[in-house]
Amino acid sequence: GGGAPQGRKNTLRKNRQTPREETPSPWPKPDGWEKYGFYKTRHHFKCKVHAHDQTKPLPSLEDWKLIRDTYKEFVDNIATTFDEPVPPTMGYTLGKEGPAPFYAALSDGRGRGLFASRDIKKGELVHDGNQSDFSFPDGMAWRRFIFSLPRKKACDVIDWSWTQQTEKNGKYKIFS
């Protein structure tokens, strides 16, 4: 369980509105950005402070649209997975009936988090990356995407990124 520590009140805030990022334009690309790895990219965007900011809001529908449209422009212009107008912060059910097993919210003093919206059975798959995640064919596609986002959005996507195999003994792919 992901409950609050003993003696600490866990107050969730689902719809907190705060001012949006000051500039919607991407940060300038440094020389050699095409060869940056994960940590150098994260350092370039100064993501350490953003990652620990307990007051940053949940992404809005406008934020998701900007991220989706940037992905379509710089990675995959025919991607249809992300045309759903509901932001992934509301969770999804992997094609099953009933409520989504999780949702995103803000927790006072803790920042963003995912919270269970119902009992989740041991071993139940609640997220598989097919409903709300971007996949990248290679590191260059990931970098093109990241370096085309405004700084704070780039930091969010960097911190949401991981690699995994989608087939047994297959190549690792980048997801975010």
Side-chain angles (χ1 to χ4, degrees), residues 4-42:
Q6 290 294 108
R8 180 178 242 167
K9 184 179 177 184
N10 186 22
T11 305
L12 301 180
R13 298 171 287 151
K14 284 188 178 182
N15 297 315
R16 190 174 107 192
Q17 294 295 320
T18 61
R20 292 285 159 218
E21 190 167 348
E22 53 285 341
T23 176
S25 58
W27 263 30
K29 292 179 178 134
D31 290 338
W33 67 272
E34 300 92 338
K35 302 223 185 276
Y36 276 28
F38 177 85
Y39 293 106
K40 191 168 184 176
T41 301
R42 194 171 189 273

Side-chain angles (χ1 to χ4, degrees), residues 100-117:
F102 64 89
Y103 62 93
L106 295 172
S107 178
D108 285 336
R110 301 259 178 171
R112 298 174 178 172
L114 291 178
F115 299 88
S117 57

